[in-house]
DNA sequence: AACTCAGTCAACCGCTGTACA
DNA sequence: CTGTACAGCGGTTGACTGAGT
């Protein structure tokens, strides 16, 4: 497709912004807002291309930007999210309010990456490079690595379901979901998995369940305890805890087997309030993105990890790992 | 004091995805 | 369907700065 080159007009200025330029841009945006950056750059009289104006605004002039050193919690959040998401800075930014993706990226490249490397942890894979860690630390690192892989797959699968549910004919839950979904391409790009779509994961499981229970007369606020469980040896075992051997259980087991998610899915209780869950999910994926990671159980363990106790176990794994990094400062 | 070097970070670059005519 | 404009993303660059020699 035809693309206009960056700052096509060679007469446009490049390089660091002057305070006067900042002032012009700020004053214009405060008065008129920013719709079209190209038009904006022309109207302000700035000899800058629209792209440069946008960058200056989003990375520096925006009033809601927090500047200065990263807090310990912010650093922990970045490390956790990088393990899950990789170099998807915009996705990571969504969990760090008031920070820009550029700032996060710079901080990662100049500080955190080196710190991890120094510890003998590969900053890209978040796996230990060698025997730099003691056995217990290695265990933590291995747990982290496994959870990261699992979580990444799960997040993508969940996003897939959300998109799918948006396309389908509405149900009460989908109506809820649709109302809270922000029309953002960021969401699509950041969370969308590469095609072709693999089979569904846990949310798809829940969709199957939803279909079943929507037909039930006792639908609202049903809580399903011990719907499934897994044993210690990695072999996933779907147990019947009072539901009967329904077709939905078969579907569930097939999906779980297909993904071999038993090891990661260690929850003994999976408490799912479906209506609330769908709502929470949309909150997590689309609206609650400003919630600091450390303050929310939503990002890790939206659903499949089940209860708070289990979430705490997972968090403690993460924290052990992150603490290792902090100790090496 | 002069120079080198490494660290930092704002800004640039090239690209993709989306909307729209 | 095609081309254009635009927003936004992630990788990279280069100016600046401070520490070390």
């Amino acid at each position: 497709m035809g693309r206009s080159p960056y700052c096509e007009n060679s007469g446009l200025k490049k390089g660091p912004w002057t305070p006067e330029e900042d002032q012009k841009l700020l004053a214009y945006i405060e008065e008129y807002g920013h719709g079209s950056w190209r038009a904006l750059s022309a109207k302000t009289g700035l000899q800058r291309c629209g792209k440069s104006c946008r960058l200056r605004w989003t990375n520096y002039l925006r009033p809601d930007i927090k500047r200065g050193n990263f807090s310990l919690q912010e650093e922990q959040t970045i490390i956790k999210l990088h393990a899950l998401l990789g170099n998807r800075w915009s996705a990571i930014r969504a969990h760090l309010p008031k920070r820009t993706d550029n700032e996060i990226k710079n901080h990662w490249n100049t500080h955190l990456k080196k710190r991890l490397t120094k510890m003998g942890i590969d900053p890209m894979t978040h796996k230990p490079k060698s025997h730099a860690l003691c056995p217990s630390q290695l265990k933590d690192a291995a747990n982290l690595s496994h959870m990261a892989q699992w979580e990444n797959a799960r997040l993508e699968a969940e996003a897939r379901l959300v998109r799918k549910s948006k396309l389908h004919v509405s149900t009460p839950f989908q109506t809820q979901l649709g109302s809270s979904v922000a029309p953002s391409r960021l969401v699509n790009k950041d969370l969308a998995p590469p095609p072709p779509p693999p089979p569904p994961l846990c949310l798809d499981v829940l969709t199957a369940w939803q279909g079943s229970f929507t037909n039930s007369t006792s639908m609202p606020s049903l809580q399903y305890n011990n719907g499934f469980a897994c044993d210690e040896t990695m072999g996933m075992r779907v147990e019947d805890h009072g539901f009967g051997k329904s077709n939905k259980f078969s579907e569930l087991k097939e999906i779980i087997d297909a993904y071999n998610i038993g090891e990661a899915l260690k929850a003994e209780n999976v408490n799912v309030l479906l209506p609330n869950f769908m709502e929470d999910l949309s909150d997590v994926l689309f609206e609650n993105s400003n919630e600091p990671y450390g303050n929310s159980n939503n990002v890790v363990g939206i659903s499949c990890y089940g209860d708070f106790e289990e979430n705490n176990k997972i968090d403690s794994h993460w924290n052990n790992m992150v603490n290792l990094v902090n100790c090496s400062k």
Side-chain angles (χ1 to χ4, degrees):
Chain A
M1 298 270 178
R3 296 284 312 115
S4 57
Y6 186 88
C7 299
E8 189 175 14
N9 186 342
S10 59
L12 296 177
K13 191 181 170 189
K14 290 186 189 177
W17 281 65
T18 64
E20 291 75 26
E21 287 176 315
D22 283 345
Q23 205 50 52
K24 270 188 183 177
L25 184 58
L26 260 178
Y28 184 89
I29 291 176
E30 275 172 13
E31 190 165 355
Y32 303 106
H34 56 81
S36 161
W37 288 105
R38 179 168 287 200
L40 181 150
S41 76
K43 287 174 185 169
T44 53
L46 287 166
Q47 295 300 305
R48 297 275 184 174
C49 65
K51 198 170 183 176
S52 183
C53 291
R54 183 183 61 81
L55 215 62
R56 184 62 178 171
W57 170 256
T58 55
N59 284 343
Y60 197 84
L61 296 176
R62 248 174 44 205
D64 58 337
I65 289 179
K66 175 183 170 188
R67 309 201 71 80
N69 294 339
F70 280 71
S71 68
L72 193 65
Q73 192 186 5
E74 284 174 319
E75 289 189 337
Q76 290 178 351
T77 301
I78 294 170
I79 293 168
K80 286 178 182 180
L81 290 173
H82 188 273
L84 297 178
L85 303 165
N87 292 359
R88 290 151 78 182
W89 306 115
S90 60
I92 294 172
R93 177 198 57 196
H95 297 278
L96 285 165
K98 303 186 178 184
R99 296 290 187 182
T100 69
D101 47 358
N102 207 30
E103 202 176 9
I104 293 167
K105 179 173 59 182
N106 281 335
H107 191 69
W108 170 263
N109 285 328
T110 56
H111 295 100
L112 302 180
K113 200 169 155 184
K114 288 175 187 172
R115 213 177 289 156
L116 286 170
T117 304
K118 201 172 162 186
M119 288 180 55
I121 297 171
D122 186 331
M124 296 319 289
T125 63
H126 291 255
K127 290 177 182 175
K129 278 180 176 172
S130 60
H131 298 294
L133 303 176
C134 67
S136 66
Q137 289 172 325
L138 280 170
K139 192 183 169 191
D140 280 336
N143 284 337
L144 173 70
S145 168
H146 182 87
M147 284 190 295
Q149 289 172 21
W150 152 247
E151 186 62 16
N152 205 11
R154 193 175 62 76
L155 279 170
E156 290 188 350
E158 286 171 351
R160 198 161 49 245
L161 172 72
V162 170
R163 284 197 313 282
K164 197 169 126 190
S165 67
K166 282 162 70 182
L167 294 173
H168 287 172
V169 180
S170 67
T171 67
F173 308 131
Q174 287 160 350
T175 303
Q176 284 180 23
L177 188 64
S179 67
S180 57
V181 169
S184 163
R185 67 184 285 283
L186 178 144
V187 169
N188 289 337
K189 184 174 179 183
D190 287 341
L191 295 176
L201 194 57
C202 60
L203 290 189
D204 298 42
V205 171
L206 290 164
T207 300
W209 281 93
Q210 178 187 335
S212 166
F213 292 117
T214 307
N215 296 331
S216 160
T217 53
S218 56
M219 176 57 214
S221 297
L222 277 174
Q223 183 166 357
Y224 308 106
N225 292 316
N226 291 321
F228 50 94
C230 54
D231 64 22
E232 297 266 331
T233 59
M234 177 69 204
M236 189 65 188
R237 182 175 77 221
V238 176
E239 295 176 346
D240 181 358
H241 289 267
F243 295 105
K245 308 266 185 231
S246 69
N247 289 336
K248 293 300 172 190
F249 256 124
S250 302
E251 280 184 53
L252 175 61
K253 186 179 187 317
E254 278 175 24
I255 292 164
I256 290 168
D257 285 344
Y259 272 85
N260 201 18
I261 62 174
E263 188 183 22
L265 200 61
K266 293 281 187 189
E268 291 174 358
N269 298 301
V270 178
N271 305 319
V272 180
L273 291 164
L274 273 174
N276 292 338
F277 165 73
M278 295 303 284
E279 191 173 358
D280 287 348
L281 172 68
S282 62
D283 285 344
V284 168
L285 291 179
F286 303 109
E287 283 187 340
N288 219 20
S289 60
N290 283 336
E291 183 70 14
Y293 179 90
N295 293 342
S296 170
N297 286 311
N298 291 336
V299 178
V300 170
I302 292 169
S303 59
C304 293
Y305 292 139
D307 56 19
F308 282 107
E309 189 184 346
E310 196 62 26
N311 280 338
N312 288 339
K313 286 180 194 170
I314 290 157
D315 257 358
S316 80
H317 279 301
W318 281 106
N319 291 333
N320 286 344
M321 196 62 199
V322 170
N323 285 339
L324 291 176
V325 178
N326 293 331
C327 290
S328 75
K329 278 186 179 177

